[in-house]
Amino acid sequence: MLTAKNITFGYTGTPIIKDISLAIKPGEITVLIGPSGCGKTTLLRCLALLDRPQQGSIDIEDRTFAYPWPPEKEFVPPWPVVTTVFQSLFLWPHLTLRKNVLLPVRLRGTSDGMEKLNELIEAFDMKDFINRYPNEASLGQRQRVALARALMLRPRYLLLDEITSALDVEQISKILDFLKRLRGKDIGIFLITHLLGFARHAADQVLFMADGEIAESGGPEILKTPKTERLFQFLSVVAAAS
């Protein structure tokens, strides 16, 4: 299990996330929603150990990362047990999309890359563009490639930041089906999204974040019957804008 206990992170004394505790369980999809600027991506970066909280701890299976991190203690990151896909994607522009996907396994020297690649090409319908360069592909195509590249590492926990933002309804459905298959393989998935319908169909657990805190949590039913006034207001604004 990946758990965060009372983590706080900020800059120059101003907290961005405050005293957050949560658990990402293998075989479950945890969805994080909330208004823009409330700290969702910062929380994801802390869970991925890319940013180090000022206080609290993060447990990843049998390892504990307690903060503030002692300066004399060596930091050995838990990658690729925990693997992240960000909205900005970070594809190498001088490599074809195929080579971008294969790069992690080639760097790690594993031998089963082609079989896994062919599986992902089929799952994400990438055969018509996989040999293009990133600047020759649409944003939605690049999003699928970035997700496939992360899955080549066979992570135990997959952290995703708005990976469906540029996809059409058909591709979102395919991504949803694939994430459910990953859940069935005992992978823990943490997903930030602004698509409430996607959240409703994907989530085992929903976390609603506001002002740097988890304001409400529960099953997907909280998206229909929120318990807090803050989540009710958020859902009303989203409904009015859609």
Side-chain angles (χ1 to χ4, degrees):
M1 190 179 301
L2 191 162
T3 61
K5 301 174 184 175
N6 307 114
I7 61 171
T8 295
F9 178 88
Y11 298 104
T12 61
T14 302
I16 298 173
I17 60 174
K18 313 165 192 173
D19 196 32
I20 286 181
S21 297
L22 59 85
I24 302 169
K25 299 177 181 178
E28 289 192 3
I29 299 175
T30 298
V31 174
L32 180 66
I33 62 170
S36 297
C38 69
K40 298 187 299 295
T41 297
T42 298
L43 175 58
L44 182 145
R45 289 184 60 86
C46 288
L47 296 174
L49 303 187
L50 296 170
D51 289 336
R52 300 185 189 181
Q54 279 84 44
Q55 67 180 46
S57 64
I58 296 172
D59 293 321
I60 300 174
E61 298 187 338
D62 59 348
R63 298 181 62 188
T64 296
F65 300 84
Y67 300 96
W69 190 261
E72 71 280 0
K73 187 177 181 180
E74 181 183 7
F75 180 76
V76 180
W79 314 315
V81 172
V82 178
T83 299
T84 307
V85 181
F86 288 103
Q87 196 170 8
S88 48
L89 305 181
F90 300 111
L91 298 177
W92 292 99
H94 64 291
L95 298 178
T96 65
L97 299 175
R98 179 185 297 271
K99 289 182 177 179
N100 265 283
V101 175
L102 285 171
L103 186 60
V105 292
R106 289 179 173 171
L107 291 175
R108 293 177 63 82
T110 55
S111 59
D112 61 347
M114 292 309 300
E115 181 179 351
K116 184 68 174 176
L117 173 64
N118 290 333
E119 175 193 342
L120 293 168
I121 288 174
E122 180 68 22
F124 295 157
D125 195 19
M126 300 189 295
K127 59 183 179 298
D128 291 338
F129 60 84
I130 193 65
N131 292 313
R132 298 177 187 172
Y133 287 89
N135 69 328
E136 299 171 331
S138 70
L139 177 55
Q141 290 169 341
R142 296 197 302 271
Q143 282 185 320
R144 281 179 271 168
V145 166
L147 179 56
R149 181 180 60 184
L151 292 170
M152 292 292 287
L153 293 169
R154 302 180 186 275
R156 291 276 293 132
Y157 300 93
L158 185 61
L159 313 183
L160 307 172
D161 187 5
E162 295 283 10
I163 50 94
T164 61
S165 61
L167 300 181
D168 60 30
V169 173
E170 184 178 10
Q171 290 301 328
I172 289 172
S173 178
K174 289 181 179 181
I175 296 295
L176 176 59
D177 288 343
F178 196 81
L179 292 180
K180 288 181 177 179
R181 286 166 55 191
L182 292 178
R183 177 178 61 187
K185 296 180 180 180
D186 216 29
I187 294 174
I189 299 169
F190 180 81
L191 170 69
I192 297 173
T193 185
H194 67 283
L195 302 175
L196 296 186
F198 184 78
R200 193 175 295 115
H201 287 96
D204 297 290
Q205 175 184 210
V206 175
L207 307 176
F208 170 62
M209 193 171 186
D211 301 319
E213 301 176 310
I214 302 298
E216 187 169 343
S217 63
E221 65 275 2
I222 70 172
L223 298 176
K224 291 184 177 180
T225 55
K227 296 182 177 66
T228 63
E229 179 64 23
R230 184 65 185 87
L231 178 55
F232 177 80
Q233 292 173 353
F234 175 76
L235 295 175
S236 299
V237 169
V238 172
S242 61

